[in-house]
Amino acid sequence: MHKSRLCSLGIDTQDADLATAAAFWSAALGRPVAEVDGNYAMLTDRAGQPIVFVQKVDHPSRVHLDIETDDVEAEATRLEALGARKVKKINTWWVMEAPTGHRFCVVRTQRGPLGDDANTW
């Protein structure tokens, strides 16, 4: 048995400068840039809302979501059984693709313990 929940929204940007993209999304969403680290710019968290980050990528720009879990492999396997496919393992997380073609990531817990607001599988 494991738990999972929606964790974050990633704004992937292929050709734009990371600082410029982060400045735009910061202003658009009213969330100041909290931290820039390598290819990632984290926007300030808001209680009860998903984490939002901007990342520099080598694929076309898009928005993707992250599902956080206390068991990455079990969650990826569960999602495969629903029709998703594993695309690439990166460090500790899986990039996956839904049957609809949408990319998403299955990541380790990011926002603290998975409590009553998480799904139990």
Side-chain angles (χ1 to χ4, degrees):
M1 188 175 337
H2 71 280
K3 291 185 172 189
S4 67
R5 67 181 169 202
L6 173 64
C7 171
S8 55
L9 299 171
I11 301 169
D12 301 344
T13 181
Q14 181 178 29
D15 296 325
D17 173 72
L18 181 62
T20 302
F24 170 81
W25 286 107
S26 170
L29 299 175
R31 290 185 176 201
V33 176
E35 176 184 1
V36 177
D37 184 17
N39 289 333
Y40 297 89
M42 304 299 296
L43 303 187
T44 302
D45 285 345
R46 290 261 173 94
Q49 295 184 9
I51 296 166
V52 178
F53 62 92
V54 180
Q55 71 176 342
K56 187 79 172 155
V57 296
D58 61 1
H59 57 72
S61 296
R62 61 183 170 228
V63 175
H64 80 268
L65 60 86
D66 289 350
I67 297 171
E68 67 179 339
T69 181
D70 55 8
D71 188 333
V72 171
E73 293 303 323
E75 182 67 357
T77 298
R78 183 184 78 82
L79 294 164
E80 279 184 306
L82 296 174
R85 70 177 184 89
K86 292 177 177 173
V87 175
K88 183 178 182 181
K89 179 89 181 231
I90 301 175
N91 298 318
T92 60
W93 67 91
W94 275 105
V95 176
M96 299 191 71
E97 186 173 278
T100 57
H102 296 90
R103 295 280 174 103
F104 62 97
C105 294
V106 176
V107 301
R108 293 184 302 183
T109 304
Q110 305 289 304
R111 298 183 301 148
L114 296 172
D116 293 338
D117 62 337
N119 297 301
T120 301
W121 309 105

